[in-house]
Amino acid sequence: MNGNTFRMPVRRLATVAAATALAAGPAALAGAGTAHATGDHGRASATVLRTGLDVSLLNKTVNVPLTVTLNEVRAPESAEKTALTARLDGVDGGKPFSVLRADVAQAKATATATKSEGRTELAHARVHVPGLPLLSLIELEKVTSTATCEAGKAPVADANLLGAVTVLGKKVTLTTGGPTEVKVPGVGEVRLDLSRTQTTSRTAAATALELDVSVNPLDLNVAEVDGTLTLAEATCESPAAPESEAAQPPAKGEEPAAEPEAEPAADVRPQGARAEADLAETGGSSATPYIAAGAAALVVAGGGALVLARRRRG
């Protein structure tokens, strides 16, 4: 009777201890091995044309700003409009005038958790400013710009000018070595910067053409036009890189992942050796207390069972 009474608690103790160890161990390992990605989407933008011009009128002591854009988008978005017109009070009686006409004028911006990109393309385009209805400020065959930002990689900016360029009726040759100046007596002058790009650790920006404009049309009640004009602009910002998974001991039956080989530099140990040293120094993981507790419970349960067996033989 006493033996039966004593045997049941021992069995229950062994069962509870084993269940606790088996339940706590996997739960602790699962919690320790989970890595949460905190990366967010990047940012991107694209613009085919942007103006920041100041128009001075002949019969008024005032300046009229001309601030317009064509196909300005931010991720995720795209646009394709091939013409832009504007109206200015006091210019040609307030009639609309053409700012840009093109065969192709595309802007596209995309952004995901791993990559963001801005892209523009402008082809067979003519740009006009107030007071010069018949003479184009600039004519070009094709320009493109791209800004690409990928998580964990260096951002890339690229701008290209393809084909001939005509400024105020004069064909010009542009170079990336510096700005190009075009002067036309009685009309004005234009300063052009070709293929401007800029990158940082997480951002990129590309502009195919940027023009500093200073013209004096003396027509349609316009005395002077000054300011800047930007063609084919793209920008991006890299998505935040996801957190790297914490180093964990390999699961039972799995081989530890091999570290990438690197050439050892002077006074610097190879990456593989450093990884092994780190594992030896840390000793264990956050799952160690749970596994130890479960093992101790199993030892106690086993000892109780052994005492019971010896008493029954006695």
Side-chain angles (χ1 to χ4, degrees):
M1 186 68 176
N2 290 338
N4 292 336
T5 304
F6 181 73
R7 188 180 301 116
M8 292 303 293
V10 171
R11 289 179 178 176
R12 290 175 181 172
L13 176 61
T15 302
V16 172
T20 302
L22 293 174
L29 290 175
T34 301
H36 298 282
T38 59
D40 60 350
H41 283 51
R43 297 175 177 84
S45 67
T47 307
V48 168
L49 177 142
R50 178 184 292 109
T51 68
L53 301 174
D54 192 25
V55 181
S56 299
L57 303 183
L58 281 176
N59 59 351
K60 297 181 180 179
T61 58
V62 296
N63 296 329
V64 181
L66 176 62
T67 305
V68 293
T69 59
L70 178 67
N71 295 350
E72 182 176 35
V73 297
R74 298 186 183 277
E77 196 174 347
S78 62
E80 184 175 0
K81 295 180 180 179
T82 58
L84 174 66
T85 59
R87 295 173 184 265
L88 287 178
D89 292 338
V91 177
D92 196 18
K95 297 178 182 178
F97 60 89
S98 172
V99 179
L100 179 140
R101 292 190 180 277
D103 290 346
V104 177
Q106 297 177 338
K108 185 176 182 180
T110 59
T112 67
T114 59
K115 178 181 177 181
S116 61
E117 184 176 66
R119 181 186 297 271
T120 60
E121 180 180 352
L122 182 62
H124 301 290
R126 295 187 177 190
V127 179
H128 292 267
V129 296
L132 294 176
L134 301 179
L135 181 62
S136 299
L137 177 70
I138 184 171
E139 299 179 17
L140 51 87
E141 289 190 21
K142 185 176 181 179
V143 291
T144 63
S145 63
T146 305
T148 305
C149 299
E150 292 190 57
K153 295 184 180 181
V156 178
D158 183 58
N160 292 297
L161 172 66
L162 306 173
V165 176
T166 302
V167 178
L168 296 176
K170 297 176 63 175
K171 286 190 176 182
V172 298
T173 300
L174 305 179
T175 65
T176 57
T180 300
E181 293 187 358
V182 179
K183 297 182 179 181
V184 177
V187 178
E189 60 184 68
V190 178
R191 183 176 181 269
L192 302 91
D193 281 323
L194 172 66
S195 301
R196 298 180 60 181
T197 60
Q198 183 178 5
T199 60
T200 67
S201 60
R202 287 193 61 190
T203 65
T207 301
L209 277 172
E210 186 169 274
L211 289 71
D212 287 330
V213 180
S214 179
V215 297
N216 50 341
L218 300 178
D219 193 12
L220 301 181
N221 198 35
V222 176
E224 294 180 351
V225 179
D226 296 281
T228 61
L229 188 146
T230 302
L231 291 170
E233 183 181 50
T235 68
C236 68
E237 181 179 348
S238 297
E243 294 180 357
S244 59
E245 294 187 0
Q248 295 295 327
K252 185 177 180 180
E254 294 182 359
E255 293 294 330
E259 291 288 338
E261 296 182 0
E263 294 182 3
D267 299 328
V268 179
R269 287 183 292 169
Q271 291 295 317
R274 183 62 207 168
E276 293 173 1
D278 287 342
L279 291 175
E281 292 168 2
T282 54
S285 69
S286 59
T288 302
Y290 296 96
I291 298 174
L298 290 174
V299 170
V300 172
L306 181 60
V307 172
L308 173 62
R310 287 181 177 176
R311 288 187 177 183
R312 292 180 62 188
R313 292 194 187 99

